[in-house]
Amino acid sequence: MLKGKVAIVTGGTRGIGLAIVKAFLAEGASVALFGSREETVNKALEAIKAKTPDASVMGLWPNLGNYAEIEKAVQEVKAHFGKIDILANNAGVSARESIYDYDPAAFDKVVNLNVNSVFYCAKAVAPIMREQGGGSIVNTSSMVSLYGQPSGCSYPASKFAVNGLTKSLARELGKDNIRVNAVLPGVTRTDMVAALPKEMVDRIASTIPLGRVGEPEEVANAFVFLASDKASYITGAILSVDGATQV
Ligand code: NAD
């Protein structure tokens, strides 16, 4: 579905991001994964190469809170692969603090990664996509962007903002044939969820109509579809991949 396409995946070293990288590669894309540290990027690249030695993949570790670093990394990807067709804005951190104990600097940190990096990466790739005649941006939001959550208010606030960026950039960039969509994972089996108490995860799973939490690969499949030409008339969509979770 992605033969000949070039993609950037942020937060591509583990969890949902790594699943997106693997799915994009399996569908024929070349992929640049962005991680936070050189060691984790190299570890992810080694794991991919061990299973698929011919994979067309590279890795970089720009500070996603810094526009200049992102722009430089995006230009490096373009120089390496010749173009950029797909951006998966996936890197993100969650939060659980109560507002009573919440250090404002910690709030800013969540917003800086979850919101600003989405804007920075989109800003850096948009001119390249426009020049090429189009592209697809897919943002990782969350089911909490529909419901909020009872603590860690920065996290749902940041994901509401991701939906807002998705809807707005879809309207702004449609004329340049750049589609912008968001995927809203429900509870998905990654490190982010492994950090939660098991009883909490089991309790949540028992309330999900499909009776279980999601797998990263199931979220990645939605990215493949939205990134592909099969979704050529879909933009501004907010697609839940959550087993119909109702909070
Ligand atoms: P994860 O913690 O396993 O992975 C997060 C990724 O983001 C990692 O690759 C990490 O390197 C990257 N990252 C974190 N901080 C970074 C920083 N400062 N700079 C650069 N990269 C950084 O989490 P995950 O569950 O795979 O989450 C991926 C995305 O999915 C996030 O945006 C998250 O909000 C969203 N999400 C996850 C779930 C879930 O249940 N797992 C549910 C809804 C949404």
Side-chain angles (χ1 to χ4, degrees):
M1 282 172 80
L2 304 176
K3 202 166 183 331
K5 307 252 189 213
V6 174
I8 292 175
V9 180
T10 72
T13 56
R14 62 171 198 256
I16 291 170
L18 183 58
I20 296 169
V21 171
K22 289 179 177 169
F24 281 4
L25 290 168
E27 294 295 336
S30 296
V31 179
L33 65 87
F34 287 2
S36 46
R37 286 184 295 124
E38 183 175 2
E39 305 88 279
T40 50
V41 167
N42 287 338
K43 209 175 129 205
L45 291 176
E46 276 163 29
I48 291 165
K49 289 279 185 186
K51 286 214 164 152
T52 47
D54 297 335
S56 179
V57 62
M58 66 181 287
L60 295 169
W61 46 95
N63 175 357
L64 292 183
N66 181 304
Y67 179 67
E69 282 197 31
I70 289 172
E71 199 181 23
K72 187 166 164 272
V74 164
Q75 291 302 333
E76 256 184 88
V77 176
K78 181 162 186 264
H80 186 82
F81 288 128
K83 59 179 188 153
I84 298 168
D85 304 295
I86 299 162
L87 166 66
N89 268 316
N90 167 77
V93 279
S94 86
R96 281 197 284 156
E97 293 86 343
S98 157
I99 191 167
Y100 295 109
D101 316 313
Y102 211 161
D103 174 2
F107 184 100
D108 289 349
K109 215 169 154 187
V110 173
V111 172
N112 192 35
L113 180 67
N114 293 9
V115 183
N116 295 13
S117 83
V118 173
F119 164 69
Y120 293 158
C121 292
K123 181 173 166 59
V125 302
I128 297 169
M129 289 179 171
R130 179 175 59 181
E131 202 184 308
Q132 288 167 193
S136 173
I137 299 174
V138 190
N139 300 321
T140 310
S141 181
S142 167
M143 67 175 183
V144 303
S145 72
L146 303 177
Y147 314 116
Q149 64 183 25
S151 62
C153 59
S154 61
Y155 184 63
S158 71
K159 296 299 191 180
F160 273 80
V162 169
N163 294 359
L165 278 168
T166 303
K167 291 275 183 198
S168 299
L169 291 177
R171 297 186 69 169
E172 184 174 346
L173 299 176
K175 64 178 182 325
D176 299 320
N177 195 31
I178 301 171
R179 297 181 297 104
V180 188
N181 294 290
V183 172
L184 279 59
V187 181
T188 310
R189 203 182 301 281
T190 67
D191 291 354
M192 197 176 263
V193 167
L196 298 174
K198 184 178 179 305
E199 313 78 67
M200 187 192 280
V201 178
D202 288 348
R203 186 161 27 84
I204 295 167
S206 71
T207 66
I208 298 171
L210 286 183
R212 60 179 177 84
V213 302
E215 299 298 329
E217 294 73 21
E218 295 177 302
V219 177
N221 288 337
F223 276 79
V224 169
F225 170 64
L226 290 171
S228 78
D229 295 338
K230 299 276 184 205
S232 54
Y233 198 55
I234 300 177
T235 193
I238 304 284
L239 176 61
S240 292
V241 182
D242 66 356
T245 301
Q246 304 288 321
V247 174

